[in-house]
Amino acid sequence: MLEINQLEKCFGTTQVLKSIDLSVKPGELVFVIGPSGSGKSTMLRCCNRLEEPTSGSILLDSEHVTECHGRALDKMRLKIGMVFQGFHLYPHKSVLANVMLAQVKALKRSKPEAKARAMEMLEHVGLAHKADAMPSELSGGQQQRVAIARALALDPKVMLFDEPTSALDPELVGSVLKVMKQLRQEGMTMLVVSHEMEFAREAADRVVFMDGGVVVEAGPPEDIFGNPKSERLRAFLSRLQPTTAA
Amino acid sequence: MSFLDTFFDGAVMAKYLPDLLAALVTTLWLSAAIVIAGLALGLVLACLRTLGRWYLTLPIVAFADISRALPPLVVILVFYFGLPGLGIRLSGPMVLFIVLGGVLAAFAEEIFWAGLTSVPKGQWEAGRATGLSFMQTLFDIALPQAIRLGIPSLVNRALAITKMTALGSVIGVKEILSVSSSAQSFSGSATPLTMAALAYLAIFLPVVIFARLLEKRYT
């Protein structure tokens, strides 16, 4: 479904991604973990070209994401949903209008069609009753669920999550994870960068550990958490333990 | 002579009322034209600047900085008395429209631009990530937020510049100030100037009140 080949990214003279290979199969939930600065967010942002890769290729359903330009790139992005750490809902538009905008403007759906789909997606994330609210009236968890609905309404083939719960108060994290779990059960293909280790253990098909711009280790969550092979992963997990316990 | 005779002489008022009403109409349409053209041009320039091409940005910034630095009166005099030397003869109202519209455009461009730069990067990313083009993201996401941020400054600037239509009095435009000050010379009474002040209030006070409502709604 999503294939990342020999992806490299440099910011000036610093190389943040060093030949990343990673593939996500249809319906798979791949979880990317790693210390901050390991390049995991940059990798994710290269997948829809919010960051321009320095070299390497990214394919979605055998179509080159990395070779699209202009309109073709806009079209390609419709197939790649993205959820940000900071939600980025449009503050001047109602919840419903947030979910409708790209459907109408980019997907060229009619307004009634877009509205119906938006309501369906809001229902899905449990926020249909907030359709007429403004984003500022919602809690962080609710805003993030609207952002998920906004991405889902475009019927993407794959969803990218860039630390979707990192900006949330602890008590609001659960509501967002619940929606993500539900998506997984429905067979959505997902690539998630997150620090929610419990969630990774429970819901991920595969966990990828990145450090220093390379994939150090990848495998099923049991192996990654239960039987880490590399020294770096062991060190990372042991540093993490206290916070997971607390 | 009493205060009332000096500033509110009934006979003088009656005599010059038609002239002043005509002048009020002139000021009104000139102001409207300046505001519409100035804000529209400023918006277009700010949008062009977002494209980030130096050959667009450089002239826009030069235009904005020079227009904001020069006193409008100087430019008005140059255009009105200087340009005919080059064979370009513009009417008084046209000079006023071009110069003040240009100055407002310069200020408006800066205000819109400031608004655009304060829209968080994440807004652009959210738009582009959902398949919107650069232009769609600009018009549907960034610009509405930038305009809201800019409304108070835009209103203040538009008011300040439309009041400068009074500068038309130095190039013979029959707007409120020039008509009332010549009426004052002819009649020897200050009453026409009082009428001018009232006429300006009649135009601008509603605008100021409207601006307050607008600001309350959007900020």
Side-chain angles (χ1 to χ4, degrees):
Chain A
M1 170 75 66
L2 184 70
E3 247 179 274
I4 302 172
N5 299 314
Q6 295 172 0
L7 179 69
E8 308 214 341
K9 173 70 186 174
C10 303
F11 288 112
T13 53
T14 20
Q15 190 173 16
V16 288
L17 296 179
K18 299 167 191 161
S19 196
I20 300 281
D21 290 293
L22 181 67
S23 71
V24 186
K25 294 189 207 74
E28 204 181 20
L29 193 166
V30 174
F31 218 90
V32 184
I33 60 171
S36 56
S38 59
K40 42 193 201 314
S41 279
T42 306
M43 188 266 294
L44 201 71
R45 289 162 57 84
C46 282
C47 292
N48 67 353
R49 304 262 302 277
L50 282 183
E51 294 296 349
E52 207 52 62
T54 308
S55 68
S57 68
I58 293 164
L59 288 93
L60 178 67
D61 270 351
S62 322
E63 284 183 274
H64 277 274
V65 178
T66 25
E67 281 166 21
C68 291
H69 298 286
R71 284 257 166 274
L73 178 57
D74 294 338
K75 284 230 166 66
M76 183 58 82
R77 281 172 169 157
L78 284 169
K79 302 178 195 165
I80 308 171
M82 183 156 199
V83 175
F84 301 89
Q85 180 177 356
F87 331 135
H88 304 329
L89 294 184
Y90 314 131
H92 60 298
K93 289 185 181 290
S94 72
V95 163
L96 182 65
N98 263 275
V99 184
M100 282 175 66
L101 181 66
Q103 291 189 64
V104 174
K105 298 280 172 174
L107 218 48
K108 309 288 179 204
R109 279 187 185 144
S110 72
K111 281 205 172 146
E113 208 183 337
K115 188 177 173 187
R117 181 78 180 136
M119 287 311 294
E120 194 186 328
M121 287 300 110
L122 286 172
E123 188 83 52
H124 210 69
V125 299
L127 289 170
H129 61 292
K130 294 285 186 188
D132 295 321
M134 295 307 277
S136 59
E137 297 161 13
L138 305 184
S139 73
Q142 290 173 329
Q143 289 190 46
Q144 191 61 298
R145 280 145 65 199
V146 172
I148 293 173
R150 178 174 68 181
L152 285 177
L154 301 169
D155 303 317
K157 292 185 170 170
V158 56
M159 287 282 286
L160 310 174
F161 290 85
D162 188 7
E163 308 206 13
T165 56
S166 300
L168 296 177
D169 291 335
E171 76 270 22
L172 300 176
V173 170
S175 66
V176 172
L177 295 184
K178 201 178 121 202
V179 168
M180 290 170 68
K181 218 174 285 179
Q182 192 183 326
L183 271 180
R184 175 186 146 58
Q185 277 154 15
E186 290 157 10
M188 176 57 77
T189 308
M190 297 156 87
L191 183 57
V192 181
V193 169
S194 169
H195 296 288
E196 299 293 336
M197 298 302 159
E198 278 308 310
F199 182 69
R201 218 185 286 259
E202 195 181 326
D205 295 296
R206 215 139 45 83
V207 178
V208 172
F209 172 63
M210 279 179 71
D211 192 12
V214 294
V215 172
V216 178
E217 207 173 324
E222 314 75 272
D223 290 358
I224 293 290
F225 295 111
N227 183 22
K229 292 187 189 64
S230 66
E231 191 47 50
R232 277 199 275 183
L233 176 53
R234 260 189 298 251
F236 174 70
L237 290 174
S238 69
R239 275 202 305 277
L240 223 64
Q241 286 315 322
T243 44
T244 350
Chain B
M1 221 193 248
S2 78
F3 176 84
L4 275 183
D5 288 335
T6 308
F7 293 104
F8 296 93
D9 185 323
V12 174
M13 272 194 173
K15 186 174 173 197
Y16 291 105
L17 188 63
D19 286 356
L20 253 144
L21 283 177
L24 186 142
V25 171
T26 304
T27 296
L28 207 57
W29 71 253
L30 255 176
S31 301
I34 288 165
V35 169
I36 291 167
L39 294 182
L41 181 60
L43 187 62
V44 170
L45 293 178
C47 289
L48 287 175
R49 206 171 154 186
T50 59
L51 296 175
R53 307 290 148 111
W54 67 268
Y55 52 83
L56 290 173
T57 302
L58 203 68
I60 291 170
V61 172
F63 165 75
D65 286 358
I66 293 170
S67 306
R68 291 184 304 150
L70 281 172
L73 180 56
V74 175
V75 189
I76 288 168
L77 292 174
V78 169
F79 272 43
Y80 193 71
F81 295 109
L83 286 183
L86 297 175
I88 304 168
R89 199 169 289 279
L90 298 171
S91 70
M94 185 50 97
V95 168
L96 212 52
F97 169 72
I98 291 174
V99 174
L100 295 184
V103 174
L104 181 55
F107 278 103
E109 184 277 323
E110 286 298 309
I111 293 166
F112 285 126
W113 176 250
L116 282 170
T117 52
S118 64
V119 171
K121 205 168 133 246
Q123 291 289 310
W124 282 91
E125 291 186 345
R128 299 310 304 274
T130 48
L132 298 177
S133 67
F134 178 88
M135 283 298 165
Q136 287 172 329
T137 309
L138 175 63
F139 287 119
D140 286 303
I141 297 168
L143 214 46
Q145 297 184 52
I147 291 173
R148 262 162 225 228
L149 286 169
I151 282 177
S153 338
L154 284 169
V155 169
N156 279 331
R157 199 41 80 172
L159 269 171
I161 285 168
T162 45
K163 278 188 291 187
M164 287 185 196
T165 48
L167 294 174
S169 57
V170 299
I171 54 169
V173 179
K174 294 207 170 306
E175 49 68 59
I176 295 172
L177 182 64
S178 70
V179 167
S180 62
S181 85
S182 69
Q184 182 255 329
S185 312
F186 284 124
S187 64
S189 160
T191 302
L193 295 176
T194 313
M195 294 168 77
L198 291 174
Y200 279 118
L201 281 181
I203 297 177
F204 291 112
L205 203 54
V207 180
V208 174
I209 291 167
F210 173 70
R212 259 192 209 294
L213 295 176
L214 206 64
E215 280 172 38
K216 211 174 254 168
R217 169 135 187 231
Y218 283 124
T219 48

